[in-house]
Amino acid sequence: MGSRNRHSHGHGHEPGADERVSKSERKRQAHRLQSLGQELAGLKPADLDELPLSDVLRAAIADYQRFPSNEARRRQLQFIGRLMRDENVAPLESALETLKGRSAEAHYEFHLLERWRERLLAEPDALTEFLDEHPEADTQQLRHKIQQVHRAKNDDQQKTAYRALFRFLRDTVHPV
């Protein structure tokens, strides 16, 4: 059986449906699905759990992540790309975009907290400004954390106090 017949029969398509899509377009679609599969393979297991994946695809991604050999990973990535053809990719892409958005938002929040920490350590007026924005903050505790950073005698103490101030700011701005 030639490749033309193989593509037009047995895949739930009407006869001749694949003939209307150019070979170049099929290749572009295959590459897009493989790229999406590669993006999925790079995610953490906790992030994958939030996505609408079939069990077969989820297992294939888990295998990819545990393979040490580049060649095995390359072949597994091709297999993931083939599995992606059977997936409903629209909800998957939508969920992935949502996940990326949360990551971008978390990244932004992290940098915002870092800026607050730097300002609180360098600018005396920053304390008043922070307390105006976050009246729920424990003023005495915040002052104590700032003083600990300034009073640190060595690098280890300073790093510890610096991290403690960051955690305090994070817990104040985003209480659990």
Side-chain angles (χ1 to χ4, degrees):
M1 192 171 355
S3 67
R4 180 179 219 146
N5 290 335
R6 185 176 65 226
H7 288 295
S8 62
H9 297 294
H11 290 289
H13 298 286
E14 58 183 276
D18 282 354
E19 292 170 353
R20 284 185 242 137
V21 177
S22 71
K23 184 176 178 182
S24 298
E25 180 59 27
R26 285 195 311 266
K27 277 185 159 184
R28 279 191 292 272
Q29 289 173 353
H31 285 298
R32 186 177 69 81
L33 291 175
Q34 192 167 355
S35 293
L36 180 59
Q38 186 171 14
E39 191 172 357
L40 293 172
L43 294 176
K44 298 174 188 162
D47 289 340
L48 286 170
D49 289 342
E50 295 186 33
L51 299 176
L53 301 173
S54 67
D55 292 339
V56 175
L57 182 57
R58 193 176 301 279
I61 291 171
D63 287 343
Y64 171 86
Q65 291 176 337
R66 70 178 174 78
F67 288 157
S69 159
N70 284 337
E71 181 59 21
R73 290 173 75 108
R74 184 191 65 76
R75 284 191 312 268
Q76 187 68 9
L77 201 53
Q78 288 178 329
F79 176 62
I80 290 169
R82 281 193 302 276
L83 290 176
M84 294 293 294
R85 295 178 199 162
D86 297 331
E87 293 287 315
N88 185 356
V89 294
L92 181 58
E93 288 175 323
S94 175
L96 190 58
E97 287 304 312
T98 301
L99 189 64
K100 283 185 202 173
R102 282 202 311 258
S103 295
E105 184 179 328
H107 194 69
Y108 171 77
E109 291 291 332
F110 177 81
H111 287 294
L112 193 63
L113 291 172
E114 281 185 326
R115 281 194 296 273
W116 268 121
R117 177 177 58 186
E118 296 303 322
R119 287 190 59 211
L120 287 166
L121 292 171
E123 304 169 20
D125 294 341
L127 180 61
T128 306
E129 203 176 312
F130 182 82
L131 293 172
D132 285 345
E133 280 190 35
H134 303 283
E136 73 283 1
D138 182 341
T139 307
Q140 187 175 357
Q141 187 73 8
L142 179 55
R143 282 192 173 123
H144 178 71
K145 298 286 183 196
I146 293 168
Q147 286 174 350
Q148 281 181 319
V149 174
H150 288 302
R151 290 183 183 160
K153 292 181 170 59
N154 60 42
D155 284 346
D156 287 339
Q157 287 178 350
Q158 183 148 21
K159 284 179 188 175
T160 301
Y162 205 64
R163 287 184 190 128
L165 175 59
F166 183 86
R167 282 191 301 272
F168 176 83
L169 294 174
R170 182 194 62 209
D171 294 345
T172 299
V173 173
H174 300 292
V176 179

Tab-separated table of all heavy atoms in Angstrom, residues 1-56:
chain	number	residue	atom	x	y	z
A	1	MET	N	0.849	-1.181	0.000
A	1	MET	CA	0.000	0.000	0.000
A	1	MET	C	0.888	1.235	0.000
A	1	MET	O	1.809	1.330	0.797
A	1	MET	CB	-0.882	-0.033	1.255
A	1	MET	CG	-1.934	0.983	1.143
A	1	MET	SD	-3.304	1.106	2.303
A	1	MET	CE	-3.386	-0.102	3.462
A	2	GLY	N	0.648	2.174	-0.861
A	2	GLY	CA	1.462	3.387	-0.977
A	2	GLY	C	1.143	4.367	0.129
A	2	GLY	O	0.148	4.244	0.836
A	3	SER	N	1.973	5.380	0.270
A	3	SER	CA	1.774	6.361	1.340
A	3	SER	C	0.483	7.148	1.142
A	3	SER	O	-0.149	7.558	2.101
A	3	SER	CB	2.970	7.303	1.449
A	3	SER	OG	3.055	8.099	0.298
A	4	ARG	N	0.083	7.344	-0.095
A	4	ARG	CA	-1.146	8.096	-0.360
A	4	ARG	C	-2.353	7.359	0.215
A	4	ARG	O	-3.221	7.946	0.835
A	4	ARG	CB	-1.288	8.302	-1.849
A	4	ARG	CG	-2.511	9.061	-2.227
A	4	ARG	CD	-2.574	9.240	-3.728
A	4	ARG	NE	-3.077	10.557	-3.963
A	4	ARG	CZ	-2.745	11.332	-4.944
A	4	ARG	NH1	-1.858	10.936	-5.812
A	4	ARG	NH2	-3.277	12.508	-5.089
A	5	ASN	N	-2.417	6.051	0.011
A	5	ASN	CA	-3.524	5.260	0.540
A	5	ASN	C	-3.465	5.163	2.060
A	5	ASN	O	-4.473	5.168	2.728
A	5	ASN	CB	-3.531	3.856	-0.064
A	5	ASN	CG	-3.926	3.877	-1.529
A	5	ASN	OD1	-4.606	4.804	-1.959
A	5	ASN	ND2	-3.488	2.871	-2.274
A	6	ARG	N	-2.271	5.051	2.583
A	6	ARG	CA	-2.120	4.923	4.033
A	6	ARG	C	-2.676	6.168	4.728
A	6	ARG	O	-3.302	6.074	5.767
A	6	ARG	CB	-0.648	4.733	4.389
A	6	ARG	CG	-0.453	4.471	5.886
A	6	ARG	CD	0.996	4.187	6.250
A	6	ARG	NE	1.801	5.366	5.989
A	6	ARG	CZ	2.973	5.366	5.361
A	6	ARG	NH1	3.484	4.246	4.920
A	6	ARG	NH2	3.640	6.483	5.163
A	7	HIS	N	-2.480	7.339	4.155
A	7	HIS	CA	-2.938	8.568	4.793
A	7	HIS	C	-4.423	8.796	4.628
A	7	HIS	O	-5.035	9.485	5.418
A	7	HIS	CB	-2.189	9.782	4.227
A	7	HIS	CG	-0.769	9.834	4.683
A	7	HIS	ND1	-0.429	10.010	5.988
A	7	HIS	CD2	0.386	9.718	3.996
A	7	HIS	CE1	0.886	9.999	6.096
A	7	HIS	NE2	1.399	9.817	4.905
A	8	SER	N	-5.021	8.209	3.588
A	8	SER	CA	-6.417	8.540	3.326
A	8	SER	C	-7.395	7.496	3.837
A	8	SER	O	-8.583	7.679	3.712
A	8	SER	CB	-6.620	8.786	1.831
A	8	SER	OG	-6.315	7.613	1.102
A	9	HIS	N	-6.929	6.401	4.408
A	9	HIS	CA	-7.839	5.362	4.887
A	9	HIS	C	-7.474	4.955	6.310
A	9	HIS	O	-6.313	4.903	6.678
A	9	HIS	CB	-7.766	4.122	3.991
A	9	HIS	CG	-8.214	4.401	2.585
A	9	HIS	ND1	-9.492	4.725	2.274
A	9	HIS	CD2	-7.519	4.395	1.414
A	9	HIS	CE1	-9.592	4.918	0.966
A	9	HIS	NE2	-8.396	4.730	0.426
A	10	GLY	N	-8.514	4.657	7.087
A	10	GLY	CA	-8.304	4.057	8.394
A	10	GLY	C	-7.996	5.026	9.517
A	10	GLY	O	-7.661	4.600	10.593
A	11	HIS	N	-8.088	6.327	9.294
A	11	HIS	CA	-7.787	7.273	10.376
A	11	HIS	C	-9.003	8.102	10.736
A	11	HIS	O	-8.878	9.163	11.338
A	11	HIS	CB	-6.632	8.208	9.986
A	11	HIS	CG	-5.315	7.513	9.930
A	11	HIS	ND1	-4.662	7.076	11.047
A	11	HIS	CD2	-4.540	7.156	8.872
A	11	HIS	CE1	-3.532	6.489	10.694
A	11	HIS	NE2	-3.438	6.520	9.376
A	12	GLY	N	-10.195	7.660	10.340
A	12	GLY	CA	-11.401	8.390	10.688
A	12	GLY	C	-11.623	9.626	9.834
A	12	GLY	O	-12.503	10.416	10.106
A	13	HIS	N	-10.813	9.834	8.802
A	13	HIS	CA	-10.986	10.971	7.906
A	13	HIS	C	-11.816	10.507	6.720
A	13	HIS	O	-11.819	9.337	6.355
A	13	HIS	CB	-9.634	11.465	7.380
A	13	HIS	CG	-8.728	11.957	8.449
A	13	HIS	ND1	-8.910	13.153	9.083
A	13	HIS	CD2	-7.612	11.409	9.007
A	13	HIS	CE1	-7.953	13.329	9.960
A	13	HIS	NE2	-7.162	12.282	9.944
A	14	GLU	N	-12.464	11.431	6.066
A	14	GLU	CA	-13.153	11.062	4.833
A	14	GLU	C	-12.095	10.806	3.770
A	14	GLU	O	-11.004	11.403	3.802
A	14	GLU	CB	-14.116	12.165	4.415
A	14	GLU	CG	-13.456	13.520	4.198
A	14	GLU	CD	-14.446	14.594	3.865
A	14	GLU	OE1	-14.815	14.710	2.687
A	14	GLU	OE2	-14.848	15.309	4.793
A	15	PRO	N	-12.370	9.907	2.835
A	15	PRO	CA	-11.373	9.631	1.804
A	15	PRO	C	-10.984	10.910	1.070
A	15	PRO	O	-11.826	11.722	0.712
A	15	PRO	CB	-12.091	8.653	0.854
A	15	PRO	CG	-13.151	8.022	1.699
A	15	PRO	CD	-13.550	9.070	2.706
A	16	GLY	N	-9.690	11.078	0.899
A	16	GLY	CA	-9.190	12.232	0.174
A	16	GLY	C	-8.998	13.479	1.031
A	16	GLY	O	-8.544	14.494	0.541
A	17	ALA	N	-9.337	13.444	2.317
A	17	ALA	CA	-9.228	14.631	3.174
A	17	ALA	C	-7.782	15.088	3.285
A	17	ALA	O	-7.497	16.272	3.251
A	17	ALA	CB	-9.806	14.353	4.554
A	18	ASP	N	-6.852	14.131	3.430
A	18	ASP	CA	-5.449	14.489	3.572
A	18	ASP	C	-4.883	15.038	2.270
A	18	ASP	O	-3.895	15.744	2.265
A	18	ASP	CB	-4.620	13.301	4.033
A	18	ASP	CG	-4.761	13.039	5.526
A	18	ASP	OD1	-5.406	13.843	6.213
A	18	ASP	OD2	-4.212	12.032	5.988
A	19	GLU	N	-5.485	14.673	1.135
A	19	GLU	CA	-4.980	15.136	-0.149
A	19	GLU	C	-5.218	16.631	-0.336
A	19	GLU	O	-4.544	17.276	-1.108
A	19	GLU	CB	-5.625	14.331	-1.272
A	19	GLU	CG	-5.161	12.880	-1.250
A	19	GLU	CD	-5.952	11.986	-2.187
A	19	GLU	OE1	-6.953	12.450	-2.757
A	19	GLU	OE2	-5.566	10.826	-2.321
A	20	ARG	N	-6.185	17.188	0.391
A	20	ARG	CA	-6.456	18.615	0.289
A	20	ARG	C	-5.460	19.445	1.105
A	20	ARG	O	-5.318	20.623	0.899
A	20	ARG	CB	-7.882	18.919	0.762
A	20	ARG	CG	-8.891	18.520	-0.282
A	20	ARG	CD	-10.277	18.930	0.137
A	20	ARG	NE	-11.035	17.697	0.245
A	20	ARG	CZ	-11.869	17.398	1.202
A	20	ARG	NH1	-12.092	18.235	2.165
A	20	ARG	NH2	-12.518	16.261	1.203
A	21	VAL	N	-4.803	18.819	2.077
A	21	VAL	CA	-3.800	19.499	2.896
A	21	VAL	C	-2.440	19.163	2.302
A	21	VAL	O	-2.102	17.993	2.122
A	21	VAL	CB	-3.874	19.031	4.370
A	21	VAL	CG1	-2.792	19.696	5.188
A	21	VAL	CG2	-5.239	19.315	4.952
A	22	SER	N	-1.674	20.207	2.008
A	22	SER	CA	-0.378	19.976	1.372
A	22	SER	C	0.576	19.256	2.321
A	22	SER	O	0.414	19.285	3.544
A	22	SER	CB	0.245	21.315	0.950
A	22	SER	OG	0.668	22.033	2.087
A	23	LYS	N	1.549	18.619	1.726
A	23	LYS	CA	2.562	17.920	2.515
A	23	LYS	C	3.293	18.912	3.425
A	23	LYS	O	3.585	18.612	4.583
A	23	LYS	CB	3.548	17.230	1.572
A	23	LYS	CG	4.580	16.396	2.277
A	23	LYS	CD	5.457	15.674	1.271
A	23	LYS	CE	6.529	14.862	1.962
A	23	LYS	NZ	7.407	14.195	0.998
A	24	SER	N	3.554	20.095	2.912
A	24	SER	CA	4.227	21.136	3.711
A	24	SER	C	3.390	21.514	4.929
A	24	SER	O	3.911	21.692	6.033
A	24	SER	CB	4.484	22.381	2.874
A	24	SER	OG	5.337	22.088	1.811
A	25	GLU	N	2.081	21.624	4.733
A	25	GLU	CA	1.201	21.988	5.841
A	25	GLU	C	1.173	20.872	6.884
A	25	GLU	O	1.191	21.138	8.084
A	25	GLU	CB	-0.217	22.288	5.330
A	25	GLU	CG	-1.203	22.666	6.422
A	25	GLU	CD	-0.789	23.897	7.237
A	25	GLU	OE1	-0.057	24.752	6.722
A	25	GLU	OE2	-1.198	23.969	8.420
A	26	ARG	N	1.127	19.617	6.413
A	26	ARG	CA	1.154	18.489	7.364
A	26	ARG	C	2.456	18.508	8.166
A	26	ARG	O	2.458	18.241	9.364
A	26	ARG	CB	0.984	17.167	6.627
A	26	ARG	CG	-0.443	16.906	6.172
A	26	ARG	CD	-0.676	15.459	5.779
A	26	ARG	NE	0.305	14.907	4.871
A	26	ARG	CZ	0.209	14.872	3.537
A	26	ARG	NH1	-0.869	15.360	2.961
A	26	ARG	NH2	1.162	14.350	2.804
A	27	LYS	N	3.560	18.823	7.511
A	27	LYS	CA	4.848	18.895	8.205
A	27	LYS	C	4.836	20.020	9.244
A	27	LYS	O	5.331	19.852	10.360
A	27	LYS	CB	5.992	19.129	7.214
A	27	LYS	CG	6.493	17.893	6.550
A	27	LYS	CD	7.703	18.236	5.694
A	27	LYS	CE	8.527	17.021	5.420
A	27	LYS	NZ	9.738	17.340	4.681
A	28	ARG	N	4.284	21.180	8.861
A	28	ARG	CA	4.206	22.299	9.814
A	28	ARG	C	3.374	21.909	11.030
A	28	ARG	O	3.742	22.209	12.165
A	28	ARG	CB	3.624	23.536	9.137
A	28	ARG	CG	4.624	24.319	8.311
A	28	ARG	CD	4.067	25.677	7.881
A	28	ARG	NE	2.978	25.558	6.928
A	28	ARG	CZ	3.133	25.482	5.616
A	28	ARG	NH1	4.344	25.521	5.100
A	28	ARG	NH2	2.086	25.378	4.820
A	29	GLN	N	2.261	21.239	10.788
A	29	GLN	CA	1.414	20.797	11.898
A	29	GLN	C	2.157	19.804	12.784
A	29	GLN	O	2.092	19.891	14.007
A	29	GLN	CB	0.123	20.162	11.364
A	29	GLN	CG	-0.829	21.157	10.758
A	29	GLN	CD	-2.022	20.487	10.072
A	29	GLN	OE1	-2.080	19.269	9.937
A	29	GLN	NE2	-2.966	21.310	9.623
A	30	ALA	N	2.881	18.875	12.158
A	30	ALA	CA	3.640	17.883	12.927
A	30	ALA	C	4.718	18.561	13.772
A	30	ALA	O	4.906	18.222	14.945
A	30	ALA	CB	4.260	16.854	11.989
A	31	HIS	N	5.410	19.536	13.184
A	31	HIS	CA	6.452	20.262	13.934
A	31	HIS	C	5.839	21.063	15.085
A	31	HIS	O	6.408	21.138	16.174
A	31	HIS	CB	7.257	21.183	13.010
A	31	HIS	CG	8.230	20.455	12.146
A	31	HIS	ND1	9.272	19.721	12.636
A	31	HIS	CD2	8.293	20.328	10.790
A	31	HIS	CE1	9.952	19.179	11.645
A	31	HIS	NE2	9.372	19.528	10.508
A	32	ARG	N	4.667	21.656	14.828
A	32	ARG	CA	4.002	22.424	15.883
A	32	ARG	C	3.608	21.511	17.041
A	32	ARG	O	3.824	21.842	18.205
A	32	ARG	CB	2.768	23.128	15.315
A	32	ARG	CG	2.096	24.078	16.297
A	32	ARG	CD	0.930	24.805	15.672
A	32	ARG	NE	-0.200	23.952	15.373
A	32	ARG	CZ	-1.111	23.573	16.270
A	32	ARG	NH1	-1.019	23.975	17.510
A	32	ARG	NH2	-2.115	22.809	15.910
A	33	LEU	N	3.082	20.341	16.711
A	33	LEU	CA	2.695	19.392	17.759
A	33	LEU	C	3.919	18.870	18.504
A	33	LEU	O	3.890	18.704	19.724
A	33	LEU	CB	1.896	18.230	17.169
A	33	LEU	CG	0.506	18.583	16.657
A	33	LEU	CD1	-0.132	17.377	15.978
A	33	LEU	CD2	-0.378	19.095	17.787
A	34	GLN	N	5.011	18.638	17.774
A	34	GLN	CA	6.232	18.174	18.424
A	34	GLN	C	6.797	19.268	19.339
A	34	GLN	O	7.262	18.980	20.436
A	34	GLN	CB	7.266	17.744	17.393
A	34	GLN	CG	8.421	16.982	18.025
A	34	GLN	CD	9.276	16.274	16.997
A	34	GLN	OE1	8.970	16.268	15.807
A	34	GLN	NE2	10.356	15.686	17.450
A	35	SER	N	6.736	20.513	18.909
A	35	SER	CA	7.194	21.624	19.758
A	35	SER	C	6.341	21.736	21.014
A	35	SER	O	6.857	21.963	22.113
A	35	SER	CB	7.136	22.946	18.999
A	35	SER	OG	8.064	22.947	17.961
A	36	LEU	N	5.041	21.578	20.849
A	36	LEU	CA	4.150	21.600	22.002
A	36	LEU	C	4.485	20.445	22.942
A	36	LEU	O	4.553	20.616	24.175
A	36	LEU	CB	2.687	21.525	21.550
A	36	LEU	CG	1.630	21.538	22.640
A	36	LEU	CD1	1.715	22.805	23.480
A	36	LEU	CD2	0.240	21.414	22.026
A	37	GLY	N	4.745	19.273	22.373
A	37	GLY	CA	5.143	18.116	23.178
A	37	GLY	C	6.439	18.364	23.921
A	37	GLY	O	6.594	17.994	25.086
A	38	GLN	N	7.399	19.033	23.259
A	38	GLN	CA	8.675	19.347	23.893
A	38	GLN	C	8.463	20.329	25.043
A	38	GLN	O	9.085	20.207	26.100
A	38	GLN	CB	9.646	19.920	22.867
A	38	GLN	CG	11.033	20.142	23.416
A	38	GLN	CD	12.023	20.491	22.319
A	38	GLN	OE1	11.649	20.823	21.196
A	38	GLN	NE2	13.292	20.400	22.638
A	39	GLU	N	7.584	21.287	24.836
A	39	GLU	CA	7.280	22.243	25.902
A	39	GLU	C	6.656	21.526	27.100
A	39	GLU	O	7.007	21.787	28.247
A	39	GLU	CB	6.333	23.318	25.370
A	39	GLU	CG	6.154	24.485	26.295
A	39	GLU	CD	5.358	25.618	25.660
A	39	GLU	OE1	4.992	25.540	24.480
A	39	GLU	OE2	5.114	26.592	26.389
A	40	LEU	N	5.754	20.598	26.828
A	40	LEU	CA	5.129	19.825	27.897
A	40	LEU	C	6.164	18.979	28.630
A	40	LEU	O	6.126	18.862	29.854
A	40	LEU	CB	4.032	18.911	27.327
A	40	LEU	CG	2.807	19.601	26.746
A	40	LEU	CD1	1.910	18.587	26.058
A	40	LEU	CD2	2.051	20.360	27.825
A	41	ALA	N	7.099	18.393	27.871
A	41	ALA	CA	8.122	17.532	28.460
A	41	ALA	C	9.051	18.311	29.384
A	41	ALA	O	9.671	17.734	30.274
A	41	ALA	CB	8.922	16.842	27.359
A	42	GLY	N	9.128	19.616	29.200
A	42	GLY	CA	9.991	20.441	30.043
A	42	GLY	C	9.322	20.924	31.322
A	42	GLY	O	9.960	21.571	32.160
A	43	LEU	N	8.044	20.600	31.501
A	43	LEU	CA	7.326	21.056	32.687
A	43	LEU	C	7.581	20.155	33.890
A	43	LEU	O	7.918	18.977	33.752
A	43	LEU	CB	5.816	21.089	32.412
A	43	LEU	CG	5.331	22.103	31.384
A	43	LEU	CD1	3.837	21.937	31.152
A	43	LEU	CD2	5.642	23.518	31.837
A	44	LYS	N	7.370	20.705	35.066
A	44	LYS	CA	7.466	19.936	36.305
A	44	LYS	C	6.237	19.034	36.418
A	44	LYS	O	5.155	19.381	35.932
A	44	LYS	CB	7.497	20.882	37.504
A	44	LYS	CG	8.680	21.802	37.513
A	44	LYS	CD	8.568	22.792	38.643
A	44	LYS	CE	9.671	23.828	38.527
A	44	LYS	NZ	9.399	25.016	39.302
A	45	PRO	N	6.377	17.886	37.083
A	45	PRO	CA	5.233	16.982	37.241
A	45	PRO	C	4.004	17.653	37.865
A	45	PRO	O	2.876	17.383	37.444
A	45	PRO	CB	5.778	15.870	38.149
A	45	PRO	CG	7.246	15.858	37.863
A	45	PRO	CD	7.612	17.297	37.610
A	46	ALA	N	4.203	18.547	38.807
A	46	ALA	CA	3.066	19.234	39.436
A	46	ALA	C	2.321	20.097	38.417
A	46	ALA	O	1.089	20.178	38.450
A	46	ALA	CB	3.546	20.095	40.599
A	47	ASP	N	3.056	20.717	37.504
A	47	ASP	CA	2.418	21.532	36.467
A	47	ASP	C	1.685	20.644	35.453
A	47	ASP	O	0.606	20.988	34.985
A	47	ASP	CB	3.449	22.398	35.745
A	47	ASP	CG	3.982	23.520	36.626
A	47	ASP	OD1	3.310	23.871	37.618
A	47	ASP	OD2	5.072	24.037	36.326
A	48	LEU	N	2.285	19.496	35.138
A	48	LEU	CA	1.637	18.565	34.207
A	48	LEU	C	0.306	18.057	34.759
A	48	LEU	O	-0.627	17.814	33.999
A	48	LEU	CB	2.556	17.377	33.911
A	48	LEU	CG	3.728	17.662	32.987
A	48	LEU	CD1	4.694	16.484	32.978
A	48	LEU	CD2	3.251	17.959	31.584
A	49	ASP	N	0.239	17.907	36.079
A	49	ASP	CA	-1.000	17.412	36.702
A	49	ASP	C	-2.168	18.364	36.475
A	49	ASP	O	-3.316	17.948	36.548
A	49	ASP	CB	-0.795	17.197	38.206
A	49	ASP	CG	0.100	16.002	38.492
A	49	ASP	OD1	0.279	15.160	37.577
A	49	ASP	OD2	0.631	15.907	39.616
A	50	GLU	N	-1.880	19.626	36.215
A	50	GLU	CA	-2.938	20.611	36.011
A	50	GLU	C	-3.429	20.663	34.564
A	50	GLU	O	-4.380	21.374	34.263
A	50	GLU	CB	-2.442	22.003	36.417
A	50	GLU	CG	-2.131	22.120	37.895
A	50	GLU	CD	-1.775	23.531	38.306
A	50	GLU	OE1	-2.320	24.475	37.724
A	50	GLU	OE2	-0.944	23.674	39.207
A	51	LEU	N	-2.790	19.901	33.684
A	51	LEU	CA	-3.135	19.964	32.262
A	51	LEU	C	-3.995	18.765	31.852
A	51	LEU	O	-3.814	17.668	32.373
A	51	LEU	CB	-1.860	19.990	31.419
A	51	LEU	CG	-0.940	21.189	31.661
A	51	LEU	CD1	0.333	21.050	30.846
A	51	LEU	CD2	-1.644	22.488	31.317
A	52	PRO	N	-4.894	18.979	30.894
A	52	PRO	CA	-5.767	17.894	30.428
A	52	PRO	C	-5.035	16.981	29.441
A	52	PRO	O	-5.148	17.132	28.229
A	52	PRO	CB	-6.923	18.637	29.745
A	52	PRO	CG	-6.306	19.903	29.249
A	52	PRO	CD	-5.249	20.262	30.257
A	53	LEU	N	-4.259	16.024	29.972
A	53	LEU	CA	-3.486	15.105	29.143
A	53	LEU	C	-4.073	13.701	29.229
A	53	LEU	O	-4.563	13.294	30.285
A	53	LEU	CB	-2.030	15.035	29.632
A	53	LEU	CG	-1.224	16.320	29.662
A	53	LEU	CD1	0.118	16.077	30.329
A	53	LEU	CD2	-1.024	16.845	28.267
A	54	SER	N	-3.946	12.949	28.145
A	54	SER	CA	-4.346	11.542	28.199
A	54	SER	C	-3.311	10.792	29.040
A	54	SER	O	-2.169	11.241	29.199
A	54	SER	CB	-4.409	10.962	26.792
A	54	SER	OG	-3.108	10.901	26.235
A	55	ASP	N	-3.711	9.645	29.566
A	55	ASP	CA	-2.792	8.845	30.380
A	55	ASP	C	-1.584	8.385	29.572
A	55	ASP	O	-0.464	8.341	30.077
A	55	ASP	CB	-3.516	7.627	30.960
A	55	ASP	CG	-4.561	8.019	32.003
A	55	ASP	OD1	-4.465	9.136	32.553
A	55	ASP	OD2	-5.473	7.199	32.270
A	56	VAL	N	-1.816	8.058	28.292
A	56	VAL	CA	-0.720	7.599	27.425
A	56	VAL	C	0.306	8.719	27.232
A	56	VAL	O	1.517	8.494	27.350
A	56	VAL	CB	-1.280	7.128	26.057
A	56	VAL	CG1	-0.161	6.769	25.110
A	56	VAL	CG2	-2.222	5.961	26.246
